[in-house]
Amino acid sequence: MLVIVTENIPPRLRGRLAVWLLEIRAGVYIGTPSKRLREFIWEQLLAGVEDGNAVMAWSTNTESGYDFRTIGENRRIPVDFDGLRLVSFLPPPPSDPPR
């Protein structure tokens, strides 16, 4: 199983993803592609994400049962904790003080 969640990506990339995967909600794609196709889809994301961001998660033989990759700016960043992939949250950007 493969799941891709995107935000703010160009319409042409959304169309490319829809060729191989089913878009079940706006920006959420699922499917069961081969490893080779999954890697090709990731290359398409890398080439076309522009100012957007995306996360790709798939089932695999790890302790957690899944793995994932991210691209683009996001407050959530992947971290490796003793071989277990987790997600860390960056602090929100500081807001400007009132004048």
Side-chain angles (χ1 to χ4, degrees):
M1 174 63 84
L2 172 73
V3 177
I4 298 176
V5 179
T6 63
E7 291 180 333
N8 195 29
I9 63 171
R12 67 182 173 279
L13 182 55
R14 291 182 66 178
R16 298 258 319 150
L17 291 173
V19 169
W20 303 290
L21 304 168
L22 178 64
E23 187 175 15
I24 58 172
R25 290 262 196 255
V28 180
Y29 302 85
I30 62 169
T32 54
S34 66
K35 179 180 178 184
R36 182 177 175 194
L37 181 55
R38 182 183 75 225
E39 291 172 353
F40 177 77
I41 291 169
W42 183 250
E43 291 171 8
Q44 298 298 305
L45 281 168
L46 289 174
V49 75
E50 294 180 3
D51 293 330
N53 65 70
V55 61
M56 174 190 281
W58 63 94
S59 53
T60 188
N61 286 338
T62 61
E63 285 190 33
S64 61
Y66 63 87
D67 201 359
F68 64 95
R69 294 178 177 175
T70 62
I71 182 174
E73 267 192 52
N74 197 310
R75 286 190 49 216
R76 295 170 179 89
I77 57 169
V79 293
D80 187 318
F81 185 75
D82 289 337
L84 185 62
R85 301 257 307 180
L86 301 173
V87 176
S88 176
F89 287 86
L90 296 174
S95 59
D96 293 329
R99 294 181 184 203

